[in-house]
Amino acid sequence: MLVAAAVCPCPPLLVPEIASGAAGELEAARDACADALGVLAASRPDLLVVVGPEGPAGPAGPAGQDGTGTYPRGSAGSFRGLGVGLGVSLGTTAEGDRAGAAGRGLPQSLAVGAWLLSRTPWADAPVEGLGVGERLARGRCADEGRKLAARAERVALLVLGDGSACRTLKAPGYLDERADGFDAAAARALGAADTAALLALDEHVAYELKAAGRAPWQVLAGAAEGAGLGGRLLYEEAPYGVGYFVAAWS
């Protein structure tokens, strides 16, 4: 059963070593993420799953844009492709996990999640990862969430993903007049822990707006069905023309 969730954005610029001189621009977002992760730690889960966009760095083959990729405890990632020699991992590696953990690297979103977790005092709950394809249909997203919630008596999720990337002329996806409305609806749903509203987010519009968080948020919606969780929106901004949200559910 899902007992808590933290929703965070996942730009690599959250990592100060990557942001370098611009690190201060996302300090408020990092602080909000730390607060949301504190809610996760306080929930004392039996299992923590980090859920984020699979992205181009994920494993080739079955996942693709409309599937999922699983990452066992101890899976490693790095930011070397961004010019920073910083490595991360999903928790500590159990003896039996070493072969699987060495076989694939974490996608960028889960690497950011692993970095966020490394900054938070954490109980010894197993930590795993789930990469979600950008085009995974909402029904399948919800099904994946239900499966996660059923895996242990107390499950917590760290859900990573950004809103639209079309809020300004200089945004990665240029300006799209639909972006403000899409992000406002997502922020309301995340702040209210409104699973129905999250599942109502249009997957095709989300894809056109480059909103990589849509599928992970809908996994969260499936996991939270019937859990009776309340939500708080801790951060809502659009630096660089991209919608970033932080929320805590408990």
Side-chain angles (χ1 to χ4, degrees):
M1 179 179 178
L2 186 71
V3 295
V7 178
C8 297
C10 54
L13 289 175
L14 276 178
V15 181
E17 291 89 340
I18 295 173
S20 189
E25 295 178 10
L26 289 181
E27 183 175 357
R30 281 190 290 271
D31 289 345
C33 289
D35 290 342
L37 288 170
V39 173
L40 287 191
S43 72
R44 299 189 177 278
D46 303 317
L47 173 67
L48 170 64
V49 183
V50 184
V51 181
E54 180 74 8
Q65 286 195 327
D66 60 355
T68 60
T70 57
Y71 298 86
R73 179 181 183 181
S75 294
S78 79
F79 301 104
R80 293 181 181 86
L82 298 172
V84 175
L86 175 65
V88 294
S89 66
L90 289 176
T92 56
T93 305
E95 187 68 32
D97 292 334
R98 286 192 178 132
R104 65 168 69 163
L106 294 173
Q108 184 173 280
S109 67
L110 299 191
V112 171
W115 179 82
L116 287 171
L117 286 174
S118 73
R119 304 172 68 239
T120 305
W122 194 253
D124 192 28
V127 182
E128 301 177 7
L130 177 70
V132 186
E134 191 174 8
R135 301 299 296 267
L136 190 67
R138 73 183 74 186
R140 291 186 60 197
C141 289
D143 286 343
E144 291 293 335
R146 295 180 191 107
K147 292 175 187 175
L148 291 178
R151 288 192 52 200
E153 185 175 345
R154 298 181 63 81
V155 176
L157 299 183
L158 169 55
V159 181
L160 300 150
D162 304 336
S164 71
C166 302
R167 294 277 289 272
T168 66
L169 291 172
K170 293 185 178 180
Y174 196 65
L175 178 65
D176 190 307
E177 62 184 11
R178 300 171 295 174
D180 282 345
F182 179 91
D183 282 350
R188 285 194 300 270
L190 292 170
D194 188 336
T195 59
L198 283 179
L199 289 173
L201 293 174
D202 190 296
E203 57 203 80
H204 303 295
V205 172
Y207 182 74
E208 292 171 355
L209 294 176
K210 303 183 184 298
R214 188 278 305 174
W217 298 337
Q218 290 182 335
V219 171
L220 168 61
E225 287 179 354
L229 302 184
R232 289 184 294 140
L233 190 66
L234 305 178
Y235 179 87
E236 178 189 3
E237 296 290 344
Y240 321 117
V242 181
Y244 295 157
F245 316 112
V246 179
W249 292 19
S250 62

